[in-house]
Amino acid sequence: MSDRVLAEASEQIAAVRRGARPAPVVRTFFDEKTFTATHVAHDPVTREAAVIDSVLNYDQASGRTHHDEAQRVVDYVRAEGLTVTWVLETHAHADHLSAAPWLQMQLGGKLGIGAEIVRVQDVFGKIFNAGTEFARDGSQFDHLFHDGDRFSLGDMEVTALHVPGHTPADMAFVIGDAAFIGDTLFMPDYGTARADFPGGDARQLFQSIRRLLSLPGETRLFLCHDYKAPGRDCYAWETTVAAERGGNIHVHDGIEEDAFVRMRCDRDATLSLPNLIVPSVQVNMRGGRMPEPESNGTRYLKVPIDTL
């Protein structure tokens, strides 16, 4: 991410803080089963909205899906009279399935993700032996964002920031004075995302985090997950740049890059894979769609043996 991009995002945030631009209204829906926060951000004037990191309910034992979490989003959007113009993914999640296509059918909007999704598709297309019929060009999405891309959500400015490290395709979306940063950071008392998935890189993650923490201190940060740190009894998903710089247990000001990389690599080596990584990645690399039905009309998800 270039200094120019950071400067533009910082000026965008400053414009909101001095009242020259509207600040987004944000409503969050938290799914305790996957510990995922879905955010709906809208312009208070035009009522245009974006849905960020949605959840499709999936029962691993039965292979059944339902839309209870996504329906909560739909009910809210309709009750508030919002118009969804974007359905955004911060990355191809490994811990929950996306409900983006279903939300598009209900609410409309374009589906967007970072352009480096093609790298994720290439790696996991091979792991799951998805075949030549699985396109690895990002065409399952309506728009692929590059670092520094700018667009509007109503009267609000939006800047897309490429923040790789957790995965190659991670993006943060700065909407007005709020940044939706996916899995790069957690609440200050919980730390940072893992970097041991295929294509992940702890050093790259540190650099992406420090870039995010170069935004103005008052920038609101909205996170994709929370797991309740020891001693905390409630889930939380909103913090600020200043709070992260001052108190993040893994990456507060003063933590050097090499020390972070050692910590992150050592910690990642002790972690189990997410419970839903096998179904999640197969679906999310397809833009939230299941694989095509087989000859009997049934869709199947594969489980690679002794691979992940």
Side-chain angles (χ1 to χ4, degrees):
M1 180 167 45
S2 71
D3 290 341
R4 175 190 60 80
V5 174
L6 276 178
E8 289 177 347
S10 296
E11 173 52 34
Q12 170 187 316
I13 293 163
V16 175
R17 303 302 294 183
R18 63 175 181 264
R21 290 276 187 170
V25 175
V26 182
R27 171 70 183 272
T28 300
F29 299 86
F30 192 77
D31 173 37
E32 291 194 27
K33 289 185 177 179
T34 62
F35 307 102
T36 302
T38 297
H39 307 291
V40 180
H42 78 263
D43 178 350
V45 178
T46 68
R47 315 296 288 177
E48 284 192 27
V51 179
I52 304 154
D53 292 335
S54 62
V55 174
L56 174 70
N57 298 99
Y58 176 77
D59 180 70
Q60 182 125 344
S62 66
R64 291 192 175 276
T65 64
H66 61 88
H67 303 100
D68 288 358
E69 289 301 318
Q71 186 65 54
R72 294 169 64 202
V73 172
V74 171
D75 292 346
Y76 169 75
V77 166
R78 290 174 175 165
E80 293 295 314
L82 307 181
T83 300
V84 172
T85 54
W86 284 99
V87 179
L88 300 174
E89 301 286 355
T90 56
H91 62 295
H93 309 275
D95 40 29
H96 69 274
L97 284 67
S98 169
W102 187 81
L103 284 172
Q104 286 184 288
M105 287 191 295
Q106 303 298 315
L107 301 172
K110 293 186 290 185
L111 176 58
I113 199 169
E116 291 299 307
I117 186 63
V118 297
R119 290 181 56 193
V120 176
Q121 290 176 327
D122 183 58
V123 169
F124 281 99
K126 294 172 182 174
I127 289 174
F128 290 108
N129 197 28
T132 56
E133 64 273 18
F134 170 55
R136 294 159 168 82
D137 58 2
S139 57
Q140 300 86 349
F141 301 85
D142 298 314
H143 189 85
L144 302 182
F145 289 101
H146 296 84
D147 184 47
D149 284 352
R150 294 171 68 84
F151 60 102
S152 296
L153 186 66
D155 293 334
M156 300 184 301
E157 295 180 319
V158 185
T159 303
L161 308 179
H162 185 212
V163 287
H166 174 59
T167 79
D170 279 62
M171 299 295 292
F173 297 97
V174 183
I175 303 176
D177 66 339
F180 299 83
I181 63 174
D183 288 10
T184 51
L185 285 165
F186 298 131
M187 293 299 291
D189 58 2
Y190 202 86
T192 57
R194 65 195 299 167
D196 60 332
F197 295 150
D201 185 285
R203 193 169 300 278
Q204 199 173 47
L205 177 62
F206 178 86
Q207 294 165 1
S208 292
I209 289 171
R210 294 315 305 177
R211 286 287 194 165
L212 282 172
L213 297 186
S214 296
L215 293 169
E218 63 270 24
T219 305
R220 295 185 287 161
L221 301 180
F222 289 89
L223 318 178
C224 188
H225 295 289
D226 186 53
Y227 303 96
K228 286 198 295 192
R232 177 157 54 86
D233 294 329
C234 59
Y235 293 108
W237 47 78
E238 181 181 353
T239 181
T240 65
V241 165
E244 294 283 1
R245 290 186 64 164
N248 187 284
I249 60 172
H250 292 166
V251 72
H252 59 77
D253 286 355
I255 298 293
E256 298 294 333
E257 182 173 323
D258 287 344
F260 174 84
V261 171
R262 286 193 299 271
M263 178 281 300
R264 191 68 265 170
C265 291
D266 290 346
R267 183 176 174 83
D268 289 351
T270 71
L271 300 177
S272 300
L273 288 175
N275 291 335
L276 295 181
I277 186 171
V278 169
S280 293
V281 175
Q282 288 180 82
V283 170
N284 296 338
M285 71 183 186
R286 292 177 165 89
R289 298 171 182 84
M290 297 290 174
E292 290 299 312
E294 297 195 8
S295 58
N296 61 355
T298 301
R299 301 174 189 269
Y300 292 88
L301 296 169
K302 297 178 179 179
V303 179
I305 305 301
D306 297 328
T307 301
L308 293 172

